[in-house]
Amino acid sequence: MANKADRQYFENFIEASDYTCQASKYLVECLNNFNLDNIKAMLDTMHEFEHQGDDKHHEMSAMLAKAFVTPVDREDLAMISQCSAFMWTRFRKLFRTPSPLLKSS
């Protein structure tokens, strides 16, 4: 069993993965029920998922910066965290819409 210091890395990944799953489910919901009138609300919600995920990524970066020894190779932990952050950004960018579509007629 991992000690408390080691568990923090895995707990961070569990929480980050949970945000990714929530964002994925929300993305599917938005695509299945797409309405251009709701694009701002959808983007705001997806941005919140991205913000929560970025917080987890920054937490991981801070833990790695302080750690002398990590339970898994430091570069691997950083890469997994970075990949998660990339996913949240990509989810949110799917909702970026050219401004003429958002202007009222």
Side-chain angles (χ1 to χ4, degrees):
M1 182 71 181
N3 65 37
K4 183 178 179 183
D6 290 346
R7 270 197 312 261
Q8 68 183 353
Y9 299 103
F10 302 109
E11 288 169 359
N12 179 282
F13 283 135
I14 290 168
E15 292 172 18
S17 296
D18 185 52
Y19 293 135
T20 303
C21 288
Q22 289 177 41
S24 299
K25 288 175 185 175
Y26 185 70
L27 175 61
V28 169
E29 178 186 323
C30 290
L31 293 173
N32 285 334
N33 304 304
F34 186 78
N35 181 340
L36 193 56
D37 295 335
N38 296 334
I39 194 82
K40 172 90 170 84
M42 290 185 289
L43 183 57
D44 290 345
T45 301
M46 195 56 78
H47 184 76
E48 184 57 32
F49 284 124
E50 180 187 17
H51 178 69
Q52 293 169 333
D54 283 345
D55 286 349
K56 289 290 142 196
H57 175 63
H58 295 302
E59 255 179 50
M60 177 62 73
S61 296
M63 288 188 287
L64 291 173
K66 294 177 187 175
F68 182 69
V69 176
T70 58
V72 178
D73 187 57
R74 179 183 312 275
E75 288 78 18
D76 290 342
L77 291 169
M79 182 180 63
I80 293 168
S81 182
Q82 183 60 41
C83 287
S84 294
F86 178 79
M87 290 290 294
W88 301 311
T89 301
R90 290 292 166 225
F91 286 150
R92 186 177 54 84
K93 285 184 178 182
L94 286 172
F95 287 101
R96 288 204 176 145
T97 306
S99 59
L101 293 175
L102 294 177
K103 292 181 181 176
S104 53
S105 310

